[in-house]
Amino acid sequence: CRVLVSGAHSLENVVIDGLSIPIRDWLHGPGEDSAPITKVHWTTAAGLSMSLSIVLLSEFIKLGKACPLREVFLAPHICNHDAMLFLADAILTSDSGLQAVYLSSRVDISALRAGKLTTIDFLTKDVSDVDVLFICELVRRMPVPDRQPGVHKMLFTNGAVSHIGVNAASRCIAEQPTIQELSFEANALDDVSCMMIERILRLNSPNLKMLDLSGNNIT
């Protein structure tokens, strides 16, 4: 992947399980005197192809200011957990101009970097562990600039979030003290998730003021 995004080759396209990735267009634009591509839409690939493609996308973002991408559209139900963590790491460790990532909802990367994104609101039936893992990794590791509020609320409601997402949220709250409200209303949480949440309340929530678990399968 690193060789592909380095440009040290003559390849024009890379095909992974039927998903064609226009490497040359990404780097140089789709034609002579054309501007580089600023948006990527991946909403139909699945399984291995999506995982490898996101790793490739991540290496492209790691080019920093040389990466022309500004918006990335991904279908969350076909994204791999590990690949999304790889993407989050690329965003966190590069100075690219990426402005937004679209999963179940829009993630404003620019506002998050500036510390001005106070509410992350995924009020959609499509929200899943993929969304939570990606968001929590960004919020947990993204430094909040001085005199900026940082993220106060993370709301993931009416979806299919499980104990996997809850575990990611517990780490995030433990390391990011700006978070005051957390909601997993109407998801797929069970008693295992509840045990993890108990750990959040007991050990890792110095500033947490509101936790909403209503509408889940907790006995």
Side-chain angles (χ1 to χ4, degrees):
C1 287
R2 290 175 183 171
V3 171
L4 289 175
V5 301
S6 72
H9 54 79
S10 58
L11 291 173
E12 295 184 0
N13 292 280
V14 175
V15 181
I16 303 174
D17 288 354
L19 179 65
S20 181
I21 302 171
I23 293 294
R24 181 175 292 277
D25 289 355
W26 274 16
L27 295 171
H28 307 295
E32 292 185 8
D33 301 322
S34 297
I37 291 175
T38 59
K39 296 181 182 181
V40 168
H41 290 254
W42 279 334
T43 56
T44 57
L48 179 63
S49 60
M50 178 55 81
S51 299
L52 291 175
S53 301
I54 291 176
V55 171
L56 180 58
L57 174 64
S58 300
E59 290 294 341
F60 191 47
I61 291 171
K62 286 182 179 180
L63 292 175
K65 289 183 171 61
C67 173
L69 285 179
R70 296 296 177 264
E71 294 182 319
V72 174
F73 296 78
L74 302 170
H77 65 281
I78 55 178
C79 293
N80 175 276
H81 294 170
D82 292 336
M84 292 309 296
L85 292 177
F86 203 91
L87 177 60
D89 183 71
I91 294 170
L92 288 160
T93 57
S94 74
D95 58 350
S96 77
L98 187 67
Q99 297 172 355
V101 175
Y102 291 79
L103 290 165
S104 292
S105 189
R106 184 177 187 270
V107 183
D108 191 332
I109 303 297
S110 298
L112 186 60
R113 283 191 189 280
K116 297 179 179 180
L117 183 63
T118 58
T119 300
I120 293 171
D121 195 347
F122 278 48
L123 305 178
T124 166
K125 63 182 178 61
D126 295 325
V127 66
S128 68
D129 290 326
V130 165
D131 299 289
V132 180
L133 284 169
F134 180 67
I135 285 291
C136 286
E137 186 72 2
L138 289 176
V139 173
R140 180 177 72 86
R141 294 174 53 192
M142 190 81 74
V144 179
D146 292 341
R147 300 182 181 179
Q148 296 299 330
V151 175
H152 287 177
K153 300 179 183 180
M154 294 198 303
L155 311 176
F156 305 101
T157 63
N158 300 311
V161 179
S162 73
H163 66 278
I164 296 172
V166 169
N167 189 48
S170 70
R171 289 190 64 197
C172 182
I173 290 176
E175 299 179 34
Q176 185 51 268
T178 64
I179 300 170
Q180 300 175 12
E181 298 185 21
L182 176 64
S183 175
F184 286 115
E185 179 186 358
N187 277 279
L189 306 191
D190 55 15
D191 290 342
V192 173
S193 310
C194 197
M195 292 173 63
M196 293 180 177
I197 290 169
E198 180 186 10
R199 185 182 65 176
I200 296 175
L201 295 175
R202 187 159 41 88
L203 300 175
N204 301 331
S205 56
N207 298 310
L208 192 64
K209 298 177 180 178
M210 189 280 286
L211 176 63
D212 189 349
L213 306 177
S214 59
N216 285 280
N217 187 30
I218 298 173
T219 63

